[in-house]
């Protein structure tokens, strides 16, 4: 597996991590027992805006006797997850009926103890580094169930296939690429759509993966062999990237013509221009209550991530000799918007267009 050995901050350890592990040792969030257990252990790496909410749904739905191991570079996110798990147990009176939560000191420890390992990370190199750190110390100990590694990150097909090959050739388990659609809103509500790639010749793997993903989402599609999930996601997000710009332009155009933005949104959402950026993630503040635009473009799908996905789609398209006539124009727009509005939801493209309109 030709991946970097530089693990960076993702694998950082220290007194803070050890103190977080001790924080988990309450009746509702106790640490792992040193004695063998029949119940399953689940691992989740990456508590960003998407992963945090996916892990919360997973914790709420796995059997009460199971254990959830978590890990993230952001120690505050880890600490908050543990705190919220304890508060949920106390407020619901479910003490002793929720699964255990513990903090893994490393990705390797998580892989050694978990039947299912789920990752949700920003960039291909982060994913490669994490999986390399799981495998570089030699064979993982055998468990009662075959390990399933599920990567929900959006990365390029080549990197995903590289990781899958490393896991399968060393017989460490089964690797599944399962990126998501639905944004932070869907992650929070547990209504995400998953598209995954996995061998249909691996016995009950497809059915097992579907059952796991439905703990965090509402719809699941098996798209084909390894790499098919990320390929489908990049195709989907290419459409999303273009639709988002078109929606922002159309809303800006209509408002400059004197149209009421809510009336325009309702019309388009009932007509042939209907799309997710218009229906759910409308870029004009105040049009859709709860959309990032109505919260100063906070808490959604970051413009940096959209720019990354567009870049990956363009690269994959070139590798397959597929023309994308709108891609480069869109990439220029997102690159400029990312510099001006880094950290904001990608619908902030509207603010960029609005500003340009005022300059004309």
């Amino acid at each position: 597996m030709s991946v970097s050995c530089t693990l960076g901050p993702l694998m950082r350890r220290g007194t803070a991590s050890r103190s977080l592990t001790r924080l988990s040792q309450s009746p509702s969030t106790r640490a792992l027992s040193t004695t063998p257990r029949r119940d399953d252990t689940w691992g989740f790496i990456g508590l960003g805006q998407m992963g945090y909410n996916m892990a919360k749904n997973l914790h709420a739905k796995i059997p009460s006797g199971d254990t959830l191991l978590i890990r993230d570079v952001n120690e505050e996110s880890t600490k908050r997850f543990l705190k919220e798990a304890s508060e949920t147990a106390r407020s619901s009176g479910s003490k002793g009926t929720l699964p255990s939560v513990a903090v893994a000191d490393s990705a390797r420890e998580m892989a050694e103890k978990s039947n299912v390992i789920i990752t949700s990370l920003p960039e291909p190199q982060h994913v490669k580094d994490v999986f390399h750190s799981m495998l570089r110390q030699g064979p993982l100990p055998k468990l009662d169930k075959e390990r399933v590694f599920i990567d929900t990150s959006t990365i390029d097909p080549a990197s995903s296939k590289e990781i899958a090959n490393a896991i399968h050739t060393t017989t460490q388990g089964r690797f599944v690429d399962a990126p998501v659609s639905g944004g932070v809103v869907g992650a929070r509500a547990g209504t995400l759509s998953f598209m995954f790639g996995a061998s249909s010749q691996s016995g009950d793997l497809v059915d097992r993966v579907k059952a796991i993903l439905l703990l965090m989402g509402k719809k699941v599609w098996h798209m084909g062999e390894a790499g098919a999930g990320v390929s489908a996601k990049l195709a989907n997000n290419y459409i999303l990237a273009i639709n988002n710009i078109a929606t922002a332009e159309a809303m800006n155009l209509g408002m400059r013509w004197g149209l009421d933005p809510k009336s325009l949104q309702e019309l388009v959402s009932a007509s042939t221009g209907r799309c997710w950026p218009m229906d759910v993630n409308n870029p004009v503040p105040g049009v859709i209550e709860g959309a990032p635009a109505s919260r100063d473009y906070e808490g959604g799908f970051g413009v940096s991530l959209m720019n990354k996905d567009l870049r990956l789609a363009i690269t994959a398209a070139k590798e397959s000799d597929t023309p994308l006539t709108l891609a480069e124009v869109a990439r220029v727009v997102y690159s400029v918007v990312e510099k001006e509005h880094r950290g904001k939801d990608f619908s902030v493209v509207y603010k960029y267009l609005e500003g340009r309109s005022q300059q004309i």
Side-chain angles (χ1 to χ4, degrees):
M1 184 176 184
S2 56
V3 298
S4 170
C5 293
T6 304
L7 304 181
L10 286 170
M11 294 297 102
R12 193 166 56 201
R13 302 174 66 169
T15 56
S17 294
R18 288 193 291 272
S19 64
L20 290 179
T21 304
R22 288 195 294 272
L23 281 172
S24 70
Q25 296 175 348
S26 64
S28 60
T29 57
R30 60 191 181 276
L32 282 173
S33 171
T34 56
T35 58
R37 52 182 294 149
R38 295 180 180 177
D39 301 305
D40 288 339
T41 297
W42 306 66
F44 201 106
I45 299 176
L47 301 178
Q49 293 195 72
M50 292 293 293
Y52 191 95
N53 290 292
M54 291 162 61
K56 283 187 67 175
N57 280 310
L58 186 67
H59 178 237
K61 295 178 182 179
I62 62 177
S64 60
D66 289 358
T67 296
L68 176 63
L69 275 175
I70 58 174
R71 180 159 180 79
D72 190 84
V73 58
N74 188 328
E75 294 168 351
E76 288 302 314
S77 292
T78 309
K79 186 174 181 178
R80 180 161 61 94
F81 192 97
L82 294 171
K83 181 180 178 182
E84 289 184 3
S86 293
E87 290 175 347
T88 298
R90 288 195 297 269
S91 63
S92 63
S94 57
K95 181 177 179 181
T97 64
L98 285 177
S100 306
V101 180
V103 180
D105 282 338
S106 66
R108 173 72 184 195
E109 179 195 16
M110 183 177 289
E112 288 177 348
K113 297 179 178 178
S114 302
N115 307 102
V116 177
I117 301 96
I118 300 170
T119 48
S120 177
L121 299 163
E123 295 277 354
Q125 192 59 49
H126 297 142
V127 182
K128 288 182 179 183
D129 286 348
V130 165
F131 276 92
H132 180 58
S133 70
M134 291 180 188
L135 302 177
R136 65 175 181 168
Q137 296 177 33
L140 294 165
K142 291 188 178 298
L143 300 174
D144 292 339
K145 294 182 180 178
E146 183 181 39
R147 285 182 183 82
V148 177
F149 299 87
I150 302 178
D151 180 39
T152 65
S153 317
T154 300
I155 63 175
D156 59 289
S159 293
S160 187
K161 291 176 182 178
E162 180 183 337
I163 297 168
N165 183 64
I167 290 175
H168 296 161
T169 55
T170 55
T171 65
Q172 299 296 293
R174 307 303 303 177
F175 176 81
V176 177
D177 55 295
V180 306
S181 179
V184 177
V185 174
R188 188 178 298 116
T191 57
L192 292 171
S193 295
F194 289 88
M195 52 224 78
F196 73 97
S199 174
S200 57
Q201 300 179 354
S202 302
D204 62 351
L205 177 63
V206 170
D207 289 339
R208 184 181 175 191
V209 170
K210 285 182 177 180
I212 293 169
L213 296 178
L214 286 172
L215 297 174
M216 301 174 289
K218 190 175 182 179
K219 296 180 180 179
V220 179
W221 286 276
H222 178 219
M223 302 304 297
E225 299 298 307
V230 291
S231 295
K233 174 62 187 294
L234 291 179
N236 177 80
N237 273 25
Y238 177 70
I239 296 173
L240 178 61
I242 303 302
N243 277 350
N244 180 58
I245 294 176
T247 298
E249 289 182 325
M251 293 297 296
N252 188 45
L253 178 64
M255 292 169 67
R256 284 173 64 82
W257 283 341
L259 298 177
D260 175 72
K262 286 191 176 183
S263 297
L264 178 58
Q265 184 273 329
E266 291 173 359
L267 167 68
V268 175
S269 291
S271 305
T272 53
R274 183 179 184 182
C275 57
W276 189 82
M278 182 65 75
D279 276 6
V280 179
N281 208 60
N282 194 279
V284 179
V287 170
I288 300 293
E289 184 179 353
S294 298
R295 306 190 304 270
D296 192 29
Y297 299 94
E298 297 289 345
F301 184 60
V303 64
S304 297
L305 292 175
M306 176 50 77
N307 201 18
K308 178 210 74 172
D309 289 0
L310 186 56
R311 169 176 52 81
L312 293 175
I314 292 172
T315 300
K318 288 178 179 178
E319 291 173 351
S320 61
D321 197 25
T322 304
L324 297 177
T325 57
L326 300 177
E328 292 300 338
V329 175
R331 183 74 198 280
V332 170
V333 172
Y334 282 110
S335 294
V336 173
V337 174
E338 181 181 0
K339 290 179 181 177
E340 295 182 0
H341 302 282
R342 186 178 297 274
K344 300 292 187 178
D345 178 74
F346 78 116
S347 61
V348 78
V349 163
Y350 171 77
K351 297 296 292 184
Y352 162 72
L353 294 171
E354 183 185 42
R356 290 190 67 195
S357 296
Q358 293 171 355
Q359 295 171 8
I360 297 175

